[in-house]
Amino acid sequence: DIQMTQSPSSLSASVGDRVTITCQASQDISNYLNWYQQKPGKAPKLLIYDASNLETGVPSRFSGSGSGTDFTFTISSLQPEDIATYYCQQYDNSLTFGGGTKVEIK
Amino acid sequence: QVQLVESGGGVVQPGGSLRLSCAASGFTFSSYGMHWVRQAPGKGLEWVAFIRYDGSNKYYADSVKGRFTISRDNSKNTLYLQMNSLRAEDTAVYYCAKDDGVVPAACLYWGQGTLVTVSS
């Protein structure tokens, strides 16, 4: 089974800060990597697919990069509405989610 | 617009069974693969199962293999999850989600979830 390790598990940043989350796969998954946002009490929402492609309607301050085993998710300028937990998810072999990163405002 | 509505959750004793349903609308249900994903209280997301658009292929997480069965009725636009031999660790909100492809890849649209509690 492919394991996905996300870090950090939580972070606190100020409005306007650049926020970076990393996700590491236990084996090469090419670019078969998606990122989701989950706000409290809500279902998750797909933000980025295939490691770097922005889903329609998602603000351009969100971006993703990486391939192989190492991936990065970035919020270029943190906004109050970005408070949420973010998950990576691989689909090279079935699906596996990372443990999540809770983003809070400082 | 795509709408997914789960039902069937509730409280069940360890070792018991439960069947979840997911009613789909707003898209051609018979053309898309579907997932079940769960989230234990205060925990992260765990993928549970996927079924191809025509029901011909099914994939399961190791944690539920042999106990859970995913199925679909394309004439009723409904997805199911039959859960047997339930354990306390199966307690979670269960979401159904729509994929875009033939093999499991992404959960593009999600329902609101239904809570399953396994407790004596």
Side-chain angles (χ1 to χ4, degrees), chain B residues 13 17 22-23 25 28-30 39 47 51 57 60 66-67 88 98 115-116:
Chain B
Q13 292 188 338
S17 298
C22 170
S25 60
T28 306
F29 180 71
S30 58
Q39 186 169 35
W47 173 77
I51 185 169
N57 284 86
Y60 296 94
R67 300 188 300 123
K98 171 187 175 291
L115 177 62
V116 172

Side-chain angles (χ1 to χ4, degrees), chain A residues 1 34 36 38 42-46 55 87 89 91 94-99, chain B residues 35 37 39 43-47 59 62 95 104-108 110-112:
Chain A
D1 287 6
N34 302 319
Y36 297 83
Q38 186 179 31
K42 300 292 187 182
K45 174 186 175 183
L46 178 66
E55 185 69 0
Y87 295 91
Q89 170 246 308
Y91 60 97
S94 290
L95 268 65
T96 312
F97 288 91
Chain B
H35 299 269
V37 177
Q39 186 169 35
K43 302 297 184 182
L45 302 170
E46 180 186 15
W47 173 77
Y59 305 74
D62 288 344
Y95 296 99
C107 301
L108 275 72
W110 300 64
Q112 84 290 347

